[in-house]
Amino acid sequence: QVQVVESGGALVQAGGSVRLSCTASGLTFDQYTMGWFRQGPGKEREAVASISTYGNFKGYTDSVKGRFTISRDNGKNTLYLQMSSLEPDDTAMYYCAVDKAKYGATRITVFATSDKYWGQGTQVTVSS
């Protein structure tokens, strides 16, 4: 049984930084494309970032490019999202997602629509 667990959500002031972590068990971690989604108040869920199995390919939605960095440590079965220069519009529940297909596409527009395992979410709130 695959389990996905996020952590690291926080209340932070605009301009601050937060690092989210995600662990996944019940699968061979380095065989799966992974990524982060978010859903803000009154908004639809959107794909934020994606990363290939060994971290050599990454994708970001335009609004976070240059501010967010996705990475993974396959030895620790852990995915990260380093978020900097946070803005109030970044306030959202952030979800870790694991592609259900091995070696799935990393391009964020494709990853956004693939079938995935999900975590329960971790809240990030950015105050102005």
Side-chain angles (χ1 to χ4, degrees):
Q1 182 179 357
V2 176
Q3 289 190 320
V4 180
V5 180
E6 306 95 335
S7 61
L11 170 62
V12 62
Q13 289 188 332
S17 298
V18 171
R19 188 176 80 159
L20 305 182
S21 300
C22 168
T23 60
S25 59
L27 47 72
T28 303
F29 190 84
D30 63 8
Q31 293 182 346
Y32 294 88
T33 297
M34 298 183 68
W36 293 93
F37 285 69
R38 68 183 179 185
Q39 186 166 17
K43 299 179 181 179
E44 293 190 354
R45 187 170 59 189
E46 66 169 341
V48 174
S50 55
I51 187 168
S52 60
T53 53
Y54 286 93
N56 47 333
F57 295 105
K58 302 177 183 181
Y60 298 93
T61 192
D62 286 346
S63 62
V64 308
K65 286 179 180 177
R67 301 189 300 120
F68 291 12
T69 301
I70 189 170
S71 63
R72 64 192 294 164
D73 185 336
N74 287 343
K76 296 181 178 180
N77 281 19
T78 303
L79 175 74
Y80 302 99
L81 184 67
Q82 178 67 48
M83 305 187 291
S84 303
S85 301
L86 284 162
E87 304 166 355
D89 278 351
D90 295 318
T91 294
M93 185 70 78
Y94 284 74
Y95 298 92
C96 177
V98 181
D99 200 328
K100 284 190 175 180
K102 291 182 180 180
Y103 307 109
T106 305
R107 186 183 305 171
I108 196 163
T109 52
V110 178
F111 180 73
T113 59
S114 65
D115 199 12
K116 290 174 277 293
Y117 300 106
W118 296 93
Q120 81 290 348
T122 187
Q123 178 69 35
V124 175
T125 302
V126 184
S127 63
S128 57

